[in-house]
Amino acid sequence: MPAIREQIQLGLDFGREEPIAVLRERLLAAYGPQRHARRHTPPEQFVKALISSETYDRDSEKDFQALCEHFRPLDRLGQAAPREVLTQLANVTHPEKKASQLVASVGRIVEQRGRFDLSHLAALSVETGMELLQLHDGIGPKCAAAVLNFSTLRRRVFVVDRHIRRFGERFGLLPDNASFTRAHQIMLRLMPASWDADDLYELHWLIKRFGQEVCTSQRPLCSRCGMADLCRHGSALASKIPRR
């Protein structure tokens, strides 16, 4: 906990409320609830998470649908030739690498469990589930958390992508240049204990939308931001504007 308090002190004055709770309320006021999307099965989410890294959602979604249509059931990915998988990856980044990772990872799961099945993760602790998932090619902390939280497993873990990491750094919740592993650890510990898996799911999509529309990587729209008063980055910019 001392490390977490140290990170919180990087931010501005949030009053007596938890910083992440204050930010969540602002985001909910701006965008409304974000928790009613259809959930994929764990194997489907495993495939979707693996191919989506460094790729726009709309593009990875096209290739995910293509894979689901071509490899039905998805168990077939484990016996496919990487070049066959590659033909379905027309839109994602690093398609050759991801094709090989899919074949290797799905094949390993089928070998271990008899089929492409991840239902056993429901009975394990989140920490154990994260560790086991990251043993597979192409699955890092972001993808592992997505399988556990975004899927029908609905486990209480927070998914940190580049938008969430940038948000955390600018609002003083994370140190600059934190690794995804470290960012995941810190952000999860900042969540109030009363928040369940759906709360964490919703917060991810609230921050992601905010990061795509306002708090962008290049040229963030600080002048239009409804949370600039809570942001280190926005406050630093405001302090440089000459007063008349």
Side-chain angles (χ1 to χ4, degrees):
M1 288 305 293
I4 300 304
R5 293 193 185 97
E6 181 181 344
Q7 299 309 331
I8 293 175
Q9 289 170 3
L10 293 173
L12 303 182
D13 183 10
F14 289 83
R16 292 188 175 183
E17 293 187 70
E18 293 283 350
I20 201 70
V22 175
L23 295 168
R24 177 194 183 208
E25 288 305 310
R26 296 274 189 101
L27 291 167
L28 277 170
Y31 299 121
Q34 305 286 314
R35 60 177 67 200
H36 301 302
R38 172 184 173 270
R39 302 291 187 115
H40 294 295
T41 66
E44 289 172 338
Q45 189 61 58
F46 184 99
V47 172
K48 185 170 185 178
L50 192 154
I51 68 171
S52 67
S53 62
E54 301 180 51
T55 304
Y56 288 116
D57 289 347
R58 62 177 180 272
D59 293 330
S60 62
E61 178 65 23
K62 293 176 186 175
D63 287 359
F64 169 68
Q65 294 298 333
L67 286 169
C68 290
E69 284 293 321
H70 188 80
F71 296 98
R72 187 181 294 174
L74 286 174
D75 299 58
R76 291 180 53 219
L77 281 166
Q79 289 76 45
R83 63 179 178 275
E84 183 183 3
V85 177
L86 183 59
T87 62
Q88 307 304 314
L89 299 179
N91 300 284
V92 300
T93 58
H94 314 300
E96 295 87 357
K97 180 180 179 181
K98 290 175 180 178
S100 296
Q101 290 172 335
L102 270 178
V103 172
S105 295
V106 175
R108 184 177 183 183
I109 294 171
V110 172
E111 181 180 347
Q112 292 173 340
R113 306 199 57 79
R115 60 194 180 98
F116 189 18
D117 175 36
L118 296 171
S119 59
H120 64 292
L121 296 173
L124 303 177
S125 69
V126 167
E127 292 76 14
T128 300
M130 289 286 291
E131 291 175 3
L132 290 177
L133 284 167
Q134 290 181 79
L135 294 176
H136 298 292
D137 290 347
I139 302 296
K142 183 190 78 169
C143 292
V147 173
L148 293 173
N149 180 262
F150 290 176
S151 76
T152 52
L153 289 171
R154 281 184 151 92
R155 302 305 303 276
R156 190 183 182 281
V157 61
F158 190 62
V159 181
V160 176
D161 63 9
R162 56 195 174 90
H163 298 291
I164 278 72
R165 186 171 67 174
R166 181 171 67 249
F167 175 92
E169 291 175 356
R170 288 179 175 172
F171 282 85
L173 304 174
L174 294 172
D176 292 338
N177 302 314
S179 67
F180 278 107
T181 297
R182 184 66 179 137
H184 162 80
Q185 294 169 343
I186 294 174
M187 291 296 290
L188 184 59
R189 290 172 186 168
L190 290 176
M191 305 297 166
S194 61
W195 290 7
D196 62 17
D198 286 343
D199 292 321
L200 271 55
Y201 173 92
E202 179 174 67
L203 182 62
H204 169 89
W205 294 107
L206 285 167
I207 296 176
K208 183 163 185 170
R209 182 171 174 183
F210 177 69
Q212 291 173 330
E213 297 180 1
V214 179
C215 195
T216 54
S217 177
Q218 303 296 324
R219 299 181 181 177
L221 305 178
C222 298
S223 62
R224 292 169 49 187
C225 177
M227 302 197 297
D229 59 313
L230 303 177
C231 175
R232 286 190 302 156
H233 182 80
S235 297
L237 289 179
S239 68
K240 295 178 183 179
I241 300 175
R243 295 186 177 182
R244 297 181 179 179

